[in-house]
Amino acid sequence: MADRGGRGRQRPKQWMPTLLRIWSYLAVHKRLLAAVFFMTAVSSTLGLLGPYLLGRAIDDYFVPGDYDGLAALILVLGAVYVAQGAAGWLQSFWMIGVAQRTVAKLRADLFDALHRLPIAYFTKRQHGELMSRMTSDIENVSQTLNGSFIQLVSSLLTFAGMLGLMIWLSPIMTLITLTIVPVMFAGMRWITSRTGRLFKETQRNTGALGGFVEETLSGQRIVKSFSRERAVIDAFMEKNARLRASAYWAQVYSGFIPKLMNMLNNMSFAVVAGAGGLLTLKGIVSVGIIVTFAEYARQFTRPLNDLANQFNTFLSAVAGAERVFEVIDEQEETVDERGARPIGTVKGEIVFDNVSFAYEPGVPTIEGVSFRAGAGEMIALVGPTGAGKTTIVQLLARFYEPASGRILIDGRDIRGITRESLRKAMGFVPQDVFLFEGTIRENIRYGRLDATDEEVERAAREANAHRFIMKMPQGYDTMLRQDGGGISQGQRQLLAIARMILADPAILVLDEATSSIDTITELHIQEALYRLMAGRTSIVIAHRLNTVRRADRILVLDRGRIIEQGTHDELMALSGFYAGLVRSGQRAVLAGAE
């Protein structure tokens, strides 16, 4: 995979590699980041200048009684704080721009990666869990870059600058102030060693819960049909409790951080005030320096306090970024072989030459499958569930690669054809039709995006969909809900056929299911399908005996092998497996879904 916007091949397992990956995205905006860092440095410097000027005011003007000079210095001090506020606003404004562009690029890379992954990747993962990475995980990164990142930089600069000034003003007072730092770091290390693991676990549990909810909502009809509401709720409560436990302890431990810092902050102030008072009485340091150090002592722990307060957000963002980069780094669909060329004009002859395939090693799905479909022929695939019908179609489209054997189209091995052109030459009408949220016209036009309104309507007429479309409230401009909610299963199938007519593929793959559809709609669908298949090479996973009778050749599959083939009459004359299915009237077995 080429390096796009910070992609690397090594999957991040620890926070440092993940931070470096995030930095590679940020580094694209070098000039704007330089301006942000400059304003951060200005704001931090001005913040340090305030307490120093306050100490000078006490020693140089207040104690000697020079109130004119004191008034002038107060005006300077006011200007310093106003300038600090302006610099802080600019750094935040520019950083928000950098953060949003960075997150937009990261989100685009993730979406791009999802479309480059093979079908097998999605069959093994919950869609809701993947959605969690696209939404909540990237949102965690966004929040950290918008606020926490610049605060971390500012805190580090403030800490370094303050330490330098303190050493310059009074080394002995600096040593006194630093006595609290070892305790601070020990407490931080104890806490963060636990919060890092807990925040990663929380992210995993969030993704698992999101995937379960998405799956349950999609399958509500099945849940209610089998009265499994109680079981689903119990499963949700178990996952929810697991998420609650990990989130609870992550927040509990991270909640120790600000409490620890506030306690140490007060202790530091007390130590500086007490020790400074004794040194002042002995004439070692001035009152102004003690005031300056008292303020610095409070500010000295503030950068560490800010770092600590942001650490839980930081850890959550790193955990989310790791999950995003895991998807980006997944092995994408195999690139086209060297020398692969577009398919060009397609006649439609298909040959399977001794093809074998297994989804899991050692468990073959199809073995030694060989057949030929002539250009314009209709081939019906029949057989029980798990016989290998859908697998043949998936291999033809190169969603998977054969373990052995060859697949040819017009005499060309499909491995020498670019995937994009191969799939454009094929049209798929699945059993479960998917429609996008949008107008009916837009859903039909998905078959060919440059089609005119007249071509869309012509395709709908050929698919027998025009009549029901015109009865809709806004006709072709009627908005459909996600996945075609609001129209019947039969109407969705008619729209899918219209979409395919508009695409005009040379090869048609049809999962011909008409269950739960009234007789009139079924007739309309059958008529539209026969019109669609005319002149095209068609491979049909047959569900209806009427369709099987019309096939030029029927392939009967069982346990991954073609056990019979021929026309309907030829297979009936054999009185074999196929004839037994037909005579027993087991339509469900004949059309078993994969």
Side-chain angles (χ1 to χ4, degrees):
M1 184 186 296
D3 185 37
R4 295 188 293 270
R7 295 189 188 192
R9 278 323 243 159
Q10 184 177 356
R11 186 176 301 179
K13 296 296 184 182
Q14 300 174 344
W15 64 273
M16 183 55 73
T18 305
L19 286 180
L20 293 176
R21 291 284 293 276
I22 295 173
W23 174 252
S24 69
Y25 281 81
L26 287 168
V28 174
H29 312 287
K30 293 178 180 177
R31 292 185 179 180
L32 203 52
L33 270 178
V36 169
F37 289 145
F38 176 74
M39 281 300 166
T40 303
V42 170
S43 176
S44 300
T45 301
L46 292 175
L48 295 173
L49 188 59
Y52 173 75
L53 291 177
L54 184 61
R56 299 300 302 174
I58 292 174
D59 284 345
D60 296 346
Y61 301 106
F62 186 77
V63 174
D66 184 358
Y67 297 109
D68 291 335
L70 180 62
L73 190 60
I74 289 175
L75 290 177
V76 173
L77 191 60
V80 166
Y81 285 126
V82 170
Q84 182 189 10
W89 182 85
L90 282 175
Q91 76 177 23
S92 298
F93 177 76
W94 288 335
M95 189 61 210
I96 288 172
V98 172
Q100 290 306 310
R101 293 173 190 174
T102 299
V103 170
K105 181 65 169 62
L106 182 62
R107 189 183 292 115
D109 278 356
L110 176 58
F111 193 71
D112 176 68
L114 288 172
H115 283 79
R116 293 174 180 270
L117 294 173
I119 291 293
Y121 179 84
F122 299 97
T123 60
K124 297 178 181 178
R125 288 163 177 81
Q126 289 181 316
H127 293 174
E129 200 272 340
L130 292 176
M131 282 296 300
S132 174
R133 303 191 188 214
M134 176 64 76
T135 53
S136 63
D137 289 337
I138 287 186
E139 182 59 27
N140 283 337
V141 177
S142 176
Q143 290 179 358
T144 298
L145 291 180
N146 280 328
S148 303
F149 177 75
I150 199 63
Q151 189 170 352
L152 293 174
V153 174
S154 177
S155 297
L156 290 172
L157 289 176
T158 300
F159 180 79
M162 192 178 301
L163 183 61
L165 275 173
M166 289 169 67
I167 293 173
W168 177 65
L169 287 172
S170 175
I172 188 171
M173 285 298 298
T174 303
L175 288 173
I176 293 172
T177 306
L178 288 177
T179 54
I180 208 71
V181 172
V183 180
M184 186 180 300
F185 277 110
M188 281 283 292
R189 184 170 183 177
W190 183 83
I191 293 171
T192 55
S193 65
R194 288 156 176 78
T195 54
R197 175 180 54 81
L198 289 168
F199 273 111
K200 288 182 180 180
E201 185 178 346
T202 299
Q203 291 297 113
R204 287 195 299 270
N205 291 337
T206 300
L209 184 65
F212 178 79
V213 170
E214 191 271 343
E215 182 182 70
T216 303
L217 293 178
S218 300
Q220 269 299 297
R221 182 174 298 178
I222 301 299
V223 172
K224 293 185 180 299
S225 297
F226 287 92
S227 300
R228 292 292 184 265
E229 292 91 343
R230 186 70 260 167
V232 167
I233 291 172
D234 289 343
F236 173 84
M237 295 301 291
E238 179 184 350
K239 295 179 183 295
N240 196 32
R242 194 176 299 124
L243 174 59
R244 178 194 61 79
S246 61
Y248 172 81
W249 286 110
Q251 294 298 329
V252 165
Y253 278 113
S254 64
F256 287 158
I257 296 176
K259 305 298 185 296
L260 174 66
M261 291 301 161
N262 287 334
M263 179 188 70
L264 295 176
N265 189 26
N266 292 332
M267 289 177 59
S268 177
F269 181 80
V271 169
V272 168
L278 292 175
L279 293 175
T280 302
L281 291 175
K282 293 181 178 181
I284 298 175
V285 294
S286 67
V287 175
I289 288 180
I290 295 304
V291 171
T292 300
F293 261 84
E295 184 62 25
Y296 277 163
R298 192 176 295 276
Q299 291 192 25
F300 183 74
T301 56
R302 189 174 67 186
L304 297 176
N305 196 19
D306 290 340
L307 289 170
N309 287 335
Q310 293 299 324
F311 207 77
N312 57 345
T313 304
F314 172 77
L315 288 177
S316 180
V318 170
E322 281 184 344
R323 285 161 48 82
V324 171
F325 289 135
E326 282 176 2
V327 178
I328 291 178
D329 289 342
E330 278 289 342
Q331 182 65 47
E332 64 183 40
E333 189 171 48
T334 307
V335 296
D336 292 324
E337 284 74 5
R338 181 176 298 179
R341 293 180 291 111
I343 194 168
T345 303
V346 181
K347 296 178 181 178
E349 181 186 63
I350 299 172
V351 174
F352 271 60
D353 181 14
N354 198 32
V355 174
S356 298
F357 173 77
Y359 291 103
E360 299 293 337
V363 186
T365 305
I366 61 172
E367 293 185 85
V369 169
S370 297
F371 68 87
R372 176 186 174 278
E377 284 188 342
M378 173 184 170
I379 302 296
L381 305 178
V382 301
T385 298
K389 304 184 296 296
T390 300
T391 300
I392 288 176
V393 170
Q394 303 241 28
L395 292 173
L396 180 62
R398 294 196 73 187
F399 292 142
Y400 298 91
E401 297 295 330
S404 62
R406 299 185 305 159
I407 303 174
L408 310 175
I409 293 181
D410 295 343
R412 292 178 57 188
D413 192 318
I414 62 173
R415 286 172 291 193
I417 300 171
T418 60
R419 280 183 173 80
E420 182 179 4
S421 67
L422 173 66
R423 292 169 185 169
K424 281 185 177 180
M426 300 175 62
F428 299 86
V429 181
Q431 179 176 344
D432 297 319
V433 175
F434 185 87
L435 298 176
F436 295 94
E437 183 175 355
T439 65
I440 290 177
R441 190 187 309 277
E442 290 170 341
N443 270 280
I444 297 176
R445 187 175 276 133
Y446 200 80
R448 182 159 58 85
L449 297 179
D450 60 352
T452 64
D453 289 347
E454 291 74 16
E455 289 173 322
V456 169
E457 294 184 17
R458 188 182 307 121
R461 290 179 187 276
E462 291 184 29
N464 291 334
H466 179 75
R467 181 177 298 178
F468 95 79
I469 292 174
M470 295 309 296
K471 292 181 180 179
M472 302 295 286
Q474 283 82 42
Y476 284 86
D477 295 318
T478 300
M479 289 292 297
L480 298 178
R481 298 197 300 273
Q482 187 177 16
D483 201 15
I487 62 175
S488 70
Q489 174 68 22
Q491 290 170 335
R492 287 200 290 269
Q493 286 190 330
L494 291 175
L495 292 181
I497 295 170
R499 178 193 290 169
M500 202 52 57
I501 290 173
L502 190 64
D504 193 24
I507 298 172
L508 183 66
V509 176
L510 175 66
D511 193 349
E512 184 241 11
T514 53
S515 58
S516 303
I517 295 175
D518 64 88
T519 304
I520 299 299
T521 303
E522 182 177 339
L523 291 174
H524 286 162
I525 291 174
Q526 291 290 343
E527 181 184 347
L529 286 174
Y530 297 145
R531 193 176 294 147
L532 174 62
M533 290 186 287
R536 294 181 172 89
T537 304
S538 303
I539 296 181
V540 182
I541 299 176
H543 294 252
R544 308 288 292 184
L545 186 57
N546 287 339
T547 303
V548 175
R549 289 178 182 274
R550 297 174 65 101
D552 296 296
R553 186 180 303 104
I554 302 168
L555 305 182
V556 185
L557 290 99
D558 187 37
R559 298 180 182 180
R561 295 180 178 274
I562 297 177
I563 58 174
E564 296 174 357
Q565 59 178 304
T567 65
H568 173 75
D569 292 337
E570 290 170 348
L571 292 176
M572 291 300 294
L574 288 175
S575 297
F577 188 85
Y578 174 83
L581 292 178
V582 174
R583 286 169 182 157
S584 65
Q586 296 180 24
R587 192 176 74 182
V589 175
L590 178 70
E594 293 298 306

